[in-house]
Amino acid sequence: MTPTKTIATAAALVALPSLGLAQEADVTPTNADIGFILTTFMFIVMGVLVFWMAAGFAMLEAGLVRSKNVTMQLTKNMALFSLAAIFYFVIGYNLMYPGDGWSIPGMLGAFSLTSLEPVGLAGAEPDLTYASVGSDFFFQLMFCAATASIVSGALAERIKLWPFLIFVVILTALIYPIQASWKWGGGFLDEAGFLDFAGSTVVHSVGGWAALTGALILGPRIGKYSKEGRVIPIPGSNLALATLGTFILWMGWFGFNGGSQLYMDTAGNVADISRILANTNAAAAAGAVAALILTQLLYKKPDLTMILNGALAGLVSITAEPLTPSLFSATLIGAVGGVIVVFAVPFLDKLKIDDVVGAIPVHLFAGIWGTIAVVFTNSDASLITQLYAILVVGVFVVVTSAVAWLILKAVMGIRVGEEEEINGLDMAELGMEAYPEFSKG
């Protein structure tokens, strides 16, 4: 035997006892552990996808505002996500998911800081039937931030930065979590049988109602409507960015709806997630195609901005129930959303409600439609209950938003001056421009 073989044999003999101990200490996870691991992993991955929607909103808004206001929109989107992350942790999460800690049962959740499990779950007994607290918090935070992003685009080009950010704090810490607790936290709307799978009402219409209230109080941009009542188009600065933003939002929506299955611990749940993604995609495509065809028929030329918002409206429309529809039904639901946008945009203009990016038609009008559409594919849904929930959430958000906006208006003002608006908010509010070389001629 060679010296090398002798050493190898000796090493193997020394290792045998430890190998035996390793076999005795079986660390194979149980089925419950596996379900906990997979669902937690799903929330993390889907949460990252929904986080990417923050970039989508930023690009969409940057493309649809004029070049003199681009930096302002990017600043607002960075700040609103960051503020949402802090205040959802400080107040919002436990207010939305109080468990047994309701301040007012079924109506008002718990006021407490969010706390995570200990490192390595040391000494903890996690609920193996669900997921880790950290993954659930991370996923739900993204929905909260998306609600604030909806408001940002609608009120662009004339609102001051700091009053807007204060409203974001109120929205993400209080308004959104309170009404979300009524459904997703097990509150009175959930007990009444209200169905909203991923948030056509809980997320999108809430952002839409808050944006509509703000737009009414803020007023339209200078030059948007003539004294004779004509609508004067104000083109965006970069439709390439707006298109990129729409595709990013489309991609992020797979996490938005797919993660809302909430479980990935069985073959059935995984199959349902794939069904949700397929239906979500079908609705978006149908919304875009419906807007494409309809604008061709109405205006003799397709309108890209309408097509972009048509896709988003299709996504919002399917969000209340992306699981039960067939692909055909999902396509029809999304197409109706695209049609709604094409007619809702000029309708708001007739009322002189200035929505820069079309957020109100997309998120409010299509959100209401999507919530109603649940009854067509889910036999557990009641039209009366769905309408009741739409009304309750709408009244709550409009009243609380109006109070917040009016207080901000009285205390610090919410609109920039006429000269600042004409020159652009980038220079007036921030002192820097997104495209400085173009402003010099």
Side-chain angles (χ1 to χ4, degrees):
M1 183 179 291
T2 64
T4 304
K5 289 183 178 179
T6 302
I7 294 171
T9 302
L13 290 171
V14 171
L16 279 176
S18 61
L19 289 173
L21 289 173
Q23 290 173 350
E24 291 172 10
D26 188 1
V27 293
T28 303
T30 65
N31 286 340
D33 286 326
I34 293 171
F36 178 85
I37 292 166
L38 290 175
T39 300
T40 295
F41 181 71
M42 179 199 70
F43 276 141
I44 293 169
V45 173
M46 297 299 193
V48 170
L49 278 174
V50 185
F51 165 75
W52 190 228
M53 292 175 71
F57 279 114
M59 293 301 97
L60 178 67
E61 294 171 27
L64 293 180
V65 300
R66 287 167 289 184
S67 57
K68 62 184 180 181
N69 296 310
V70 171
T71 304
M72 179 63 149
Q73 287 310 110
L74 299 176
T75 303
K76 284 162 60 180
N77 276 274
M78 281 294 296
L80 72 85
F81 182 87
S82 303
L83 287 168
I86 294 170
F87 284 92
Y88 191 64
F89 136 65
V90 173
I91 301 175
Y93 183 65
N94 284 329
L95 197 57
M96 183 169 163
Y97 292 105
D100 297 326
W102 290 90
S103 299
I104 302 175
M107 293 284 294
L108 186 65
F111 289 89
S112 61
L113 291 172
T114 303
S115 58
L116 308 179
E117 297 103 335
V119 175
L121 295 178
E125 295 183 4
D127 179 8
L128 295 180
T129 64
Y130 190 48
S132 71
V133 174
S135 67
D136 185 60
F137 166 77
F138 178 73
F139 181 68
Q140 299 299 339
L141 163 63
M142 302 307 154
F143 285 64
C144 179
T147 306
S149 296
I150 296 166
V151 184
S152 171
L155 307 183
E157 300 202 308
R158 74 269 202 205
I159 194 167
K160 291 180 179 179
L161 176 63
W162 287 107
F164 170 76
L165 295 182
I166 292 172
F167 180 80
V168 166
V169 171
I170 297 168
L171 179 66
T172 56
L174 297 170
I175 297 174
Y176 170 77
I178 288 174
Q179 62 80 35
S181 74
W182 299 343
K183 167 55 188 171
W184 292 343
F188 74 95
L189 288 181
D190 187 55
E191 292 177 355
F194 172 49
L195 299 181
D196 190 2
F197 191 94
S200 286
T201 286
V202 173
V203 176
H204 295 283
S205 78
V206 169
W209 285 120
L212 175 62
T213 307
L216 288 170
I217 294 171
L218 191 62
R221 289 168 290 174
I222 295 172
K224 176 63 178 177
Y225 306 109
S226 70
K227 293 180 180 179
E228 297 78 26
R230 289 190 304 109
V231 179
I232 300 171
I234 302 178
S237 61
N238 193 328
L239 292 184
L241 277 186
T243 304
L244 174 63
T246 301
F247 274 118
I248 292 173
L249 288 168
W250 191 328
M251 176 182 174
W253 230 287
F254 296 135
F256 201 97
N257 287 356
S260 295
Q261 176 69 12
L262 300 182
Y263 295 92
M264 200 175 80
D265 55 349
T266 65
N269 278 321
V270 174
D272 283 350
I273 291 170
S274 67
R275 181 184 178 95
I276 289 166
L277 266 60
N279 282 338
T280 298
N281 190 68
V289 171
L292 168 69
I293 295 172
L294 194 53
T295 52
Q296 174 68 54
L297 294 174
L298 292 175
Y299 307 121
K300 310 305 179 187
K301 292 179 181 178
D303 184 325
L304 175 59
T305 60
M306 288 288 196
I307 296 168
L308 300 179
N309 277 331
L312 297 177
L315 289 162
V316 171
S317 299
I318 200 64
T319 293
E321 185 48 272
L323 176 60
T324 56
S326 64
L327 278 172
F328 181 73
S329 297
T331 302
L332 290 179
I333 291 169
V336 172
V339 171
I340 286 172
V341 161
V342 174
F343 287 110
V345 170
F347 171 71
L348 288 179
D349 278 334
K350 286 183 179 180
L351 299 177
K352 295 187 177 180
I353 299 172
D354 187 11
D355 175 358
V356 177
V357 303
I360 297 168
V362 167
H363 298 279
L364 177 55
F365 292 5
I368 290 172
W369 154 243
T371 305
I372 294 170
V374 176
V375 303
F376 299 126
T377 64
N378 190 328
S379 59
D380 293 332
S382 160
L383 179 59
I384 298 300
T385 304
Q386 296 299 99
L387 293 173
Y388 166 67
I390 291 168
L391 179 64
V392 167
V393 171
V395 170
F396 172 75
V397 177
V398 167
V399 171
T400 53
S401 297
V403 170
W405 285 125
L406 290 171
I407 290 175
L408 288 168
K409 183 177 181 180
V411 172
M412 58 195 305
I414 60 175
R415 182 163 184 154
V416 299
E418 183 175 344
E419 183 178 350
E420 288 85 355
E421 183 176 342
I422 292 172
N423 291 333
L425 275 62
D426 285 3
M427 290 304 297
E429 289 277 287
L430 304 171
M432 63 176 65
E433 297 174 293
Y435 310 110
E437 64 274 21
F438 295 113
S439 66
K440 309 306 178 188

